[in-house]
Amino acid sequence: MRILVIGGTWFLGKAIVEGALARGWEVTTFNRGRSGPGIPQVEVVHGDRTVREDVQKLATHGPWDAVIDTSSSELPPRDVLLAADALADRARRWVHISTVSVYEGWPHEPLTEHSALLQCPADAEDSFGYTGESGSPTKYGFQKAGGERAVAEVFGDEAVFLRPGVILGPGEYVGRLPWWLERAKKGGRILAPGPAEQRIQPVDVRDVADFALCQAVGSDRGGFNVTHPDGISFADFLGACLRVTGGEGTPVWTEATVLAQHDVAQWTELPLWRTHAGVWAVDSQRAVNAGLRCRPIVETVRDTWKWWAADGRPVAHPRWADHGIAAEKESRILASL
């Protein structure tokens, strides 16, 4: 098996490359060479996927049995289409890492793969789309939906779209789980978003990588929601953070209305907290039937702490600064309760 990973040097891309090598596959990676070191045993091609000459040069290194695209999150559909067109006769199959944000109903309603998608042309520029007044839909979602359409137009039935919600695990670059781990380690009274029994569905990066590799050799088509089928309660999640870090902390479960009164930003100031009805109601049964296997989330918490405590350092990313409530604001809210 010979695959091309677009990206391939950090977080999900790196996990996919390592998983492919463990299977004995031949791997080519294509990236700009800025986000992380190359991995031994991998053919590395450097270039910019938004430059026609670079993707045409990449095509000369083929053919491949499959392409796994991990690096389209910040790109307009036109650039996804550029790469797909250039590699159309150089690969049999395309596995595209997308997002649940492509759905019209995200995050307001429960979702399945039959839920309606946002509409965006395959050749759209980066100006296409908008973000609604309530924060949904998002311009990002429109752009990602257009990226899916671009791949589908070129690869047809050999196009597969993986739609994760939140991906956690060793190497995380957004900072959601590392922030909770550091907060748990600090201890004391911890501002925690109620209700404590709310279930969340983050998925481990290694499990997403394994499923992507399964799809690279599979015969399935279309979209797959990639969320944890069992999930975990927020209380158990925070309890796991306390256990693995040895933090002597006490969660103070606080109603959403109270947090709103104090202008606590959902999704960022208290990472993973969001009150919309559908945010943690994404059905992944189709993916499970196709081979998705998710480890218990407490294992993701444990392994991420091992990585982080051993001086784990993610690739620098601007989203890191967005996550976590300031200590002064947290103390002020806790004092008012």
Side-chain angles (χ1 to χ4, degrees):
M1 184 74 177
R2 189 164 190 256
I3 66 168
L4 166 65
V5 180
I6 303 180
T9 60
W10 55 301
F11 201 40
L12 178 57
K14 183 172 182 285
I16 289 171
V17 170
E18 291 174 341
L21 293 175
R23 295 175 181 224
W25 294 2
E26 294 181 37
V27 180
T28 302
T29 61
F30 178 66
N31 52 67
R32 293 175 298 177
R34 300 177 183 175
S35 299
I39 299 174
Q41 306 175 50
V42 170
E43 178 189 28
V44 179
V45 181
H46 285 152
D48 187 332
R49 63 177 297 168
T50 69
V51 176
R52 184 175 302 277
E53 292 76 11
D54 286 2
V55 292
Q56 289 175 339
K57 179 187 73 173
L58 169 66
T60 66
H61 290 260
W64 299 277
D65 297 296
V67 174
I68 304 179
D69 187 359
T70 71
S71 72
S72 69
S73 63
E74 307 297 332
L75 296 178
R78 67 177 182 194
D79 288 331
V80 178
L81 183 61
L82 173 65
D85 277 338
L87 301 174
D89 62 353
R90 308 302 287 163
R92 178 186 65 85
R93 191 165 174 80
W94 188 292
V95 179
H96 195 73
I97 308 302
S98 187
T99 169
V100 292
S101 295
V102 298
Y103 290 110
E104 284 185 2
W106 167 259
H108 300 287
E109 58 191 50
L111 298 172
T112 73
E113 287 84 1
H114 298 294
S115 300
L117 300 178
L118 295 169
Q119 296 302 305
C120 178
D123 59 352
E125 305 283 334
D126 56 8
S127 60
F128 188 93
Y130 64 91
T131 296
E133 292 183 2
S134 64
S136 176
T138 63
K139 185 177 179 180
Y140 170 74
F142 279 103
Q143 295 277 309
K144 291 291 282 185
E148 287 195 10
R149 176 169 287 188
V151 174
E153 287 189 359
V154 176
F155 279 83
D157 288 344
E158 292 297 338
V160 180
F161 307 103
L162 307 191
R163 299 171 184 149
V166 171
I167 303 177
L168 303 178
E172 185 200 335
Y173 63 91
V174 175
R176 295 184 177 105
L177 181 47
W179 185 85
W180 277 114
L181 288 165
E182 284 292 337
R183 182 61 193 88
K185 179 184 177 183
K186 181 181 176 182
R189 297 175 75 219
I190 301 173
L191 184 66
E197 64 272 15
Q198 171 66 56
R199 298 194 76 78
I200 59 178
Q201 295 178 282
V203 64
D204 192 289
V205 62
R206 296 161 293 184
D207 298 331
V208 181
D210 185 68
F211 186 59
L213 293 169
C214 288
Q215 288 304 309
V217 296
S219 58
D220 293 308
R221 64 187 68 172
F224 290 92
N225 296 333
V226 185
T227 57
H228 202 293
D230 301 319
I232 189 173
S233 72
F234 221 113
D236 287 343
F237 169 78
L238 189 48
C241 291
L242 288 164
R243 285 195 303 277
V244 300
T245 63
E248 297 181 2
T250 302
V252 179
W253 298 102
T254 308
E255 294 182 3
T257 54
V258 176
L259 295 173
Q261 290 170 4
H262 290 275
D263 295 321
V264 177
Q266 296 190 36
W267 211 231
T268 53
E269 285 195 293
L270 293 179
L272 306 179
W273 168 62
R274 203 168 185 178
T275 59
H276 301 81
V279 68
W280 298 120
V282 181
D283 181 21
S284 59
Q285 190 58 50
R286 182 171 192 254
V288 170
N289 292 344
L292 174 66
R293 298 293 179 266
C294 292
R295 69 198 69 204
I297 295 172
V298 292
E299 292 186 14
T300 304
V301 173
R302 179 198 64 200
D303 293 347
T304 302
W305 176 245
K306 286 182 179 178
W307 161 73
W308 187 250
D311 200 30
R313 286 294 177 268
V315 171
H317 196 280
R319 293 178 67 187
W320 189 276
D322 294 337
H323 290 83
I325 190 169
E328 299 80 5
K329 183 174 181 178
E330 181 187 23
S331 296
R332 186 168 63 251
I333 296 172
L334 288 168
S336 71
L337 299 178

